Amino acid sequence: VYKRQAEDCDSGEPLATRSRYLSLPAGGIRCLRYTVDLGSAARAERISGLLDSSNIIASPTVWMWRPRLRAKDAILAEFALHDGGQVFVPWQRLDDTGNRYRLTPSPQSGSALAIFGSFQQKFIDVGGAQLRVVLPNSIDDVELQPLIPWVNATAENLAGAYGVFPNPYTNIFLIPIGNYGWDSDSAVSFGRVVRDGGETIELMINQNRPIAQYYQEWTPIHEFSHLMLPYLDREQRWVSEGFAQYYQNVFLARADQHSARDAWQKIYDGLERGRESAPGLSPNAAARAPMRDTRMKVYWSGAAIALMADVELRRRSGGAQSLDSVLGELQQCCLPSTYAWSGVELFRQLDEFLEEPFLQELYHRYADAGEFPDARPVLQQLGVSVRDGRVTLDDTATLSSIRMAITDPAQ
C-alpha cells in the first residue's frame, strides 16, 4: 500500500500492482522503478511515536518488491543516502560504509524492521561471529555503550554451549520503548527472532530500568537461544519454543545470573504449567490452535523433550555428548539455514550425529500424543526433589552429576 508508481524502466509502461504483489508481463522486465511513501509507512509502525523523528522505521516487506529467491540466489542492494544519513536493514552488511548489503534466501519468518536516518550502532565479536548492535534514537537520550556489556554477556552465554556463536552475521536491534507496553517493570518486555534475509534479534527495552536488571531477564537469552535451531514450520514451533525455554534457564544458571536451584525451580514450574495446559491436546495440535489457549503446552512440551534428550545423551556417553554438543554439530553442518524445517527433518538430522540414534523416536513418541512428555522421573534421577511445589537439590541422587554438568557454572 505504500509503494507507488511502479513502472518498467525501459518502456515507462506502468505495472499492475495488487496489495503486496506486482504483476509482470509474460516476458518479464529488465528494470523496475517505483517510489515508496516511507513517511506514511513509518507512521504506521506503532513504535515510531516512541522514537526521535530522525528515525524512519519501516519493514522491507513494505518498501521492497523482490522475487522469490532460490537456494543459491542473492540480491545485492546498495543505498544512496543524502546528508550523512544511515541505513540499517536486517541483511548481511558488505562493507564499512553500511550502504551495501547482500540479501539471501530465508524462511521469511516475519517482517523485520529497517531504519533510515540516524541511529547508534556498534559491532562486537563473539564466538567467531560479528554482531551488529543497533539502537534507534529515542525521544529521550539513551546511550548504546552502557548496554554493550550486557549484549556481549548474553551472546557469550549462548556461544559457551559449543564454543561458537550460531550465525557469523547477526543483528541485535534494541528498541527503547520506556514504560510503554504490557510489562513496564521489565528491562526487556518483549523479543523475537526474525529470519528475513538474515537473522535479527529484536528486543524491546525499557531504558528507565537499571542496567543490573537486564542481566536477570530471561527474554534476551530465550531469543538468542532460538538461533541454535533452524526456523521450524509453524506446527513444530513447540520444539523451537521449548528448546529456548529449556536453555534460557540453563544459560542463566551457567552464567551465575540465577542459582542452579532457581533454574531447576523454574524448569519444574514450567513443566507443571505445560502439563496442566490444554489437556489431551498433542504438541502439534497445540501449535495449530490459538496461542492464548495453548501457550504453556506449546512452550513446555519441547522443553520436556530437550531435558530428556540432554540427560540421555550425557548418560549414554558418560558426558562425552550432550544436547550442547549435538546442536554444535548441527551448527557446523546446517546453520544458518535458508528454509523452514519440519520437526521430523530436525530430529532425523540430530540422530545423524549419534552412534545409537534415539532422538527421532523421542520426537515421534510425543509430537502427536495427547500425553504431556513426562520428565518427572528424569528430574527425580537428577536429584531435583519437590515438596509442596518447592525444589531442593539432592547431590546423592543417581544422576546428580549430570544435573550439575547441565547448570553449574564450574562445569
Side-chain angles (χ1 to χ4, degrees):
V1 69
Y2 302 111
K3 304 184 187 80
R4 297 285 186 270
Q5 303 172 1
E7 62 181 35
D8 183 330
C9 301
D10 296 325
S11 67
E13 291 293 319
L15 299 170
T17 62
R18 184 180 61 187
S19 183
R20 297 169 52 199
Y21 299 96
L22 177 69
S23 298
L24 300 180
I29 62 173
R30 186 185 67 85
C31 173
L32 169 68
R33 179 189 298 120
Y34 61 95
T35 60
V36 179
D37 185 354
L38 279 180
S40 295
R43 286 191 292 274
E45 288 287 350
R46 289 183 298 172
I47 63 170
S48 290
L50 305 173
L51 303 176
D52 186 86
S53 59
S54 61
N55 307 282
I56 296 178
I57 294 185
S59 169
T61 58
V62 168
W63 50 260
M64 183 178 183
W65 267 305
R66 64 188 183 194
R68 185 179 297 277
L69 299 178
R70 295 165 297 182
K72 296 184 178 180
D73 289 345
I75 294 173
L76 299 181
E78 184 168 356
F79 295 87
L81 303 174
H82 301 287
D83 301 324
Q86 299 171 279
V87 60
F88 162 75
V89 287
W91 311 328
Q92 182 183 345
R93 190 169 177 266
L94 291 179
D95 60 28
D96 291 339
T97 68
N99 296 336
R100 297 181 66 246
Y101 293 85
R102 183 170 183 263
L103 170 58
T104 54
S106 68
Q108 297 186 23
S109 64
S111 301
L113 296 175
I115 310 176
F116 301 90
S118 179
F119 51 86
Q120 302 173 61
Q121 67 176 337
K122 187 172 179 61
F123 295 89
I124 57 176
D125 296 322
V126 178
Q130 185 177 77
L131 277 58
R132 184 185 190 185
V133 187
V134 172
L135 178 73
N137 296 333
S138 68
I139 54 178
D140 50 1
D141 293 330
V142 184
E143 291 299 323
L144 175 59
Q145 186 54 44
L147 297 168
I148 291 299
W150 159 68
V151 174
N152 189 80
T154 306
E156 286 183 341
N157 287 351
L158 176 62
Y162 45 73
V164 300
F165 196 84
N167 188 335
Y169 304 102
T170 302
N171 302 298
I172 314 298
F173 186 19
L174 306 178
I175 307 169
I177 64 170
N179 296 322
Y180 176 81
W182 53 90
D183 192 5
S184 59
D185 290 335
S186 294
V188 185
S189 60
F190 179 76
R192 65 172 184 162
V193 174
V194 185
R195 314 191 200 215
D196 189 3
E199 291 189 330
T200 299
I201 298 173
E202 296 178 359
L203 298 173
M204 292 189 177
I205 64 171
N206 184 345
Q207 64 270 24
N208 301 318
R209 308 307 298 174
I211 289 293
Q213 186 177 340
Y214 284 76
Y215 289 88
Q216 302 300 315
E217 299 283 355
W218 61 264
T219 297
I221 192 60
H222 177 98
E223 301 305 329
F224 273 70
S225 297
H226 276 304
L227 301 186
M228 299 174 77
L229 296 182
Y231 180 70
L232 296 177
D233 288 335
R234 181 176 179 82
E235 187 174 282
Q236 276 80 50
R237 63 181 174 177
W238 61 274
V239 176
S240 56
E241 293 296 350
F243 275 49
Q245 286 291 103
Y246 174 66
Y247 268 112
Q248 75 187 36
N249 293 294
V250 167
F251 286 146
L252 287 173
R254 289 180 186 174
D256 211 14
Q257 291 164 223
H258 287 173
S259 70
R261 197 207 69 81
D262 285 345
W264 290 109
Q265 181 75 62
K266 291 178 183 297
I267 290 172
Y268 168 78
D269 290 343
L271 293 175
E272 289 302 298
R273 289 195 298 272
R275 188 187 322 284
E276 295 167 1
S277 172
L281 209 60
S282 72
N284 278 343
R288 292 191 297 267
M291 183 66 87
R292 66 178 180 273
D293 302 323
T294 63
R295 179 177 295 275
M296 291 298 101
K297 173 65 73 69
V298 168
Y299 274 68
W300 286 98
S301 295
I305 286 184
L307 170 61
M308 290 189 282
D310 198 5
V311 172
E312 183 62 11
L313 284 164
R314 293 171 186 270
R315 187 194 65 79
R316 287 187 179 200
S317 66
Q321 278 191 314
S322 65
L323 191 57
D324 296 354
S325 67
V326 171
L327 292 181
E329 298 265 17
L330 180 71
Q331 190 277 332
Q332 291 183 39
C333 85
C334 309
L335 298 183
S337 177
T338 61
Y339 66 96
W341 292 39
S342 69
V344 171
E345 183 180 10
L346 172 64
F347 283 85
R348 181 189 303 128
Q349 181 60 64
L350 295 178
D351 264 343
E352 289 291 322
F353 309 129
L354 307 183
E355 290 186 8
E356 299 179 38
F358 72 95
L359 294 172
Q360 288 181 84
E361 190 277 330
L362 183 64
Y363 169 80
H364 285 298
R365 188 187 311 164
Y366 294 109
D368 291 303
E371 172 194 1
F372 186 81
D374 190 1
R376 286 174 293 186
V378 174
L379 289 173
Q380 193 170 33
Q381 291 177 319
L382 292 172
V384 180
S385 302
V386 183
R387 175 174 293 182
D388 297 329
R390 182 172 175 78
V391 162
T392 58
L393 302 181
D394 178 6
D395 291 347
T396 67
T398 309
L399 301 181
S400 61
S401 62
I402 288 180
R403 185 200 74 231
M404 289 184 263
I406 291 173
T407 53
D408 281 12
Q411 304 294 323

